Amino acid sequence: FPILDQKVKGKPLIYLDNAATTQKPQIVIDAISQFYSTTNANVHRGAHTLSDDATELFENARNSVQGFINAKHAHEIVWTRGTTEAINTIASGLAQSFLKPGDEIIISAMEHHANIVPWQVAAKRSGAKLVVAPINEKGELNFSIYKTLLNKNTAVVAMTHVSNTLGTINQVKEIVQSAQQFNAITVIDGAQAIGHGFVDVQDLNCDFYVFSGHKLFGPTGIGVLYGKEARLEQLPPFQTGGEMIKTVTFQQATWNELPYKFEAGTPNVAGAIGLATAIGYVNSIDRVGALAHEQRLIKYCSELANNMDDIHIIGMAENKTSIFSFLMGDAHPSDVGTLLNQQGIAVRTGHHCTMPLMNELGIPGTVRASFSMYNTEEEVAMLFAALTKVRTFL
Ligand code: PLP
C-alpha cells in the first residue's frame, strides 16, 4: 500500500477513511499498469491476439468474483461502475417490469442514499410505496418491527449488509428468509460488508447482492451486481447500445444473453482486472486473522473512547464492523475533522450519505474513523492522542 508511506501536514499519514474507499496494494496498481502496457484492447470483438488476451483476463476476473462471493454461475456476475449503478440497474428494471401500484418496497432507516433514492424514484414511477423499517437505540435494525411490516404487498426488501455510518452488521440471512415468506425480492447492499468478512450469496440466498471494487482494495469505477440467474433473466436492461444486443434492425433489437444484457458499451476492462487482482490479494492473506485484527481495533477504540467523557459514540450495535462514528462534546464534526487532518489523520465528517438517518438521530453528522486491516493499534492510540489535542483547540 505505497500511498500509506507518506506525510500529510508534516506528519505520517494515518488513513482512517476506509469506509469511503480503501487504499490499493502495489500488486493492484501493477496489474492495471501491466494491462495497459501489454494487453490493452477491446474485449469480445477482436480477431486479434491482444483482444483475445484482454477478453480472457476480463472473463477470468468475472470468475474470480464468482468464486469470491460463491455465486452459482459466472453469468450471474454483472460488471457495473459500482454499488450505486448496480442498485439503479435493479430499481429501474423492477420499476419498469415488476412493481405495480400498491406494492411496497421496504428499506431500513440506516440506508445509504444509494439504497434510498433509486427506490424513491422506482416507487414514483410504478405507484409503489416506500416503507422504512426503524432501528433501535443501539443502531440495530428493529427486527420485530421489520417483520410486522412484511405483508402480501411487500414486493422488494432492499437493505444494507453493513451500515456505513453506524458499522452495524445486519442479520442478512434472517432478513432475506423473512422477506421470502412473502415472495419479496431481496436486494442487499454489500458496499461496506465486502471488505470486512466472508460473503456467500448462495448461503444468504438473496436475489441480488451489490458492491463496489474500490472498497475491496480494487480500483474505482468498477463494481458488481450479483443476481440469481432467474431474476436477471426477468430484469430488463438498464442501458442499451453495443455489447448488450443479440440482433438489431432499424425497428428493434433483441437482448444478449447474461451477463452481457446488462453490460452496454465498452466495459471497464482494466478495472475488472484490478478488482480480480485485489480479490487474489485478499485470498492470499489470513482473512480470519485480518478480521480478528479489525475487531481488536474497534474494541480498543471503544475502550479509549470510554475514557473520554466528551466522546459520544454513534452506533453501539452488538455486531459491528470497524467503523467508529462519534461526536465530541458539542463540537461540529467538520471542526474535529479539520483539526485531526492537521495532525495527519484522515477521517470523514458529515452525514456520510445517510441524511435520513442523521435526521432520525437528531444530529447534523458525525466524525467517522473507519479501519482496515492495515491499520494498527498504535494508530488508534494516536487518534485518541490527537483528539485530546483537538479538545484544547475547541
Ligand atoms: N452503500 C453503502 C452502504 C456505502 O457505504 C456506499 C459508499 O460509501 C455506497 C452504497 C455507494 O457506493 P459507490 O459510491 O461506490 O457506488
Side-chain angles (χ1 to χ4, degrees):
F1 297 88
I3 201 171
L4 297 174
D5 292 328
Q6 64 176 296
K7 289 192 168 172
V8 166
K9 309 277 181 196
K11 308 271 167 38
L13 168 65
I14 297 180
Y15 184 77
L16 304 180
D17 195 16
N18 294 285
T21 198
T22 52
Q23 297 303 350
K24 319 305 169 198
Q26 187 67 53
I27 192 173
V28 169
I29 299 166
D30 289 347
I32 295 166
S33 167
Q34 173 85 355
F35 170 72
Y36 282 122
S37 308
T38 63
T39 323
N40 177 52
N42 213 326
V43 289
H44 304 137
R45 311 196 175 163
H48 61 86
T49 301
L50 282 188
S51 178
D52 289 346
D53 290 351
T55 303
E56 194 181 332
L57 288 174
F58 182 66
E59 291 303 331
N60 283 345
R62 198 187 305 273
N63 296 337
S64 298
V65 173
Q66 179 202 350
F68 192 64
I69 62 171
N70 194 31
K72 201 164 175 190
H73 307 289
H75 60 251
E76 293 176 325
I77 306 299
V78 173
W79 298 117
T80 65
R81 279 196 302 128
T83 308
T84 303
E85 189 175 76
I87 298 174
N88 273 278
T89 302
I90 302 163
S92 159
L94 293 179
Q96 199 183 314
S97 69
F98 176 76
L99 291 167
K100 55 183 190 317
D103 280 352
E104 294 180 5
I105 303 163
I106 303 184
I107 59 170
S108 84
M110 68 177 90
E111 298 307 316
H112 186 282
H113 297 163
N115 202 30
I116 301 175
V117 185
W119 299 113
Q120 287 174 343
V121 173
K124 224 176 195 161
R125 274 173 70 187
S126 63
K129 192 171 122 196
L130 196 63
V131 177
V132 181
I135 55 173
N136 65 22
E137 65 291 340
K138 288 183 179 168
E140 298 159 328
L141 178 72
N142 190 323
F143 206 82
S144 47
I145 298 190
Y146 158 65
K147 277 174 83 168
T148 66
L149 296 175
L150 290 162
N151 67 77
K152 65 178 181 11
N153 295 323
T154 309
V156 177
V157 171
M159 291 210 190
T160 194
H161 195 161
V162 169
S163 157
N164 64 308
T165 301
L166 307 168
T168 310
I169 303 174
N170 279 320
Q171 304 160 261
V172 170
K173 209 170 160 174
E174 289 76 9
I175 290 170
V176 168
Q177 254 166 18
S178 304
Q180 279 167 350
Q181 284 166 13
F182 295 87
N183 296 320
I185 291 181
T186 49
V187 181
I188 305 301
D189 173 353
Q192 292 297 334
I194 198 72
H196 302 278
F198 293 83
V199 171
D200 180 333
V201 289
Q202 290 190 71
D203 181 51
L204 295 177
N205 202 16
C206 51
D207 293 298
F208 296 101
Y209 194 96
V210 298
F211 65 90
S212 303
H214 70 95
K215 296 192 200 272
L216 181 63
F217 314 109
T220 52
I222 188 80
V224 170
L225 187 180
Y226 156 80
K228 281 185 183 165
E229 183 183 58
R231 293 297 186 197
L232 288 175
E233 291 288 7
Q234 287 159 358
L235 201 69
F238 182 48
Q239 292 187 326
T240 52
E243 283 277 308
M244 54 75 64
I245 48 78
K246 195 172 268 167
T247 61
V248 183
T249 65
F250 280 120
Q251 286 72 39
Q252 60 187 13
T254 58
W255 309 147
N256 205 342
E257 62 201 24
L258 295 178
Y260 309 111
K261 180 174 95 171
F262 295 102
E263 295 181 356
T266 299
N268 183 355
V269 184
I273 293 165
L275 175 54
T277 310
I279 287 174
Y281 172 80
V282 171
N283 282 334
S284 76
I285 62 167
D286 168 12
R287 288 178 74 191
V288 175
L291 283 176
H293 171 67
E294 287 183 19
Q295 284 297 317
R296 274 196 300 277
L297 294 183
I298 192 72
K299 192 161 169 266
Y300 185 38
C301 208
S302 307
E303 279 164 21
L304 294 181
N306 287 338
N307 293 336
M308 288 176 83
D309 290 345
D310 52 352
I311 299 275
H312 175 50
I313 304 175
I314 310 291
M316 302 281 278
E318 299 293 338
N319 197 9
K320 68 184 271 187
T321 53
S322 47
I323 287 178
F324 176 61
S325 255
F326 65 96
L327 291 170
M328 191 173 189
D330 50 12
H332 198 280
S334 65
D335 292 339
V336 178
T338 305
L339 291 166
L340 287 175
N341 186 48
Q342 296 297 334
Q343 301 177 69
I345 300 178
V347 294
R348 177 142 171 187
T349 63
H351 53 65
H352 316 297
C353 295
T354 53
M355 271 196 216
L357 173 63
M358 295 295 108
N359 289 340
E360 293 272 308
L361 299 173
I363 54 178
T366 75
V367 184
R368 183 186 72 186
S370 51
F371 305 98
S372 185
M373 58 186 173
Y374 40 66
N375 293 120
T376 62
E377 293 195 355
E378 192 190 356
E379 287 179 326
V380 175
M382 284 162 90
L383 167 68
F384 281 87
L387 283 171
T388 309
K389 264 196 200 163
V390 165
R391 189 193 268 149
T392 63
F393 286 108
L394 292 169

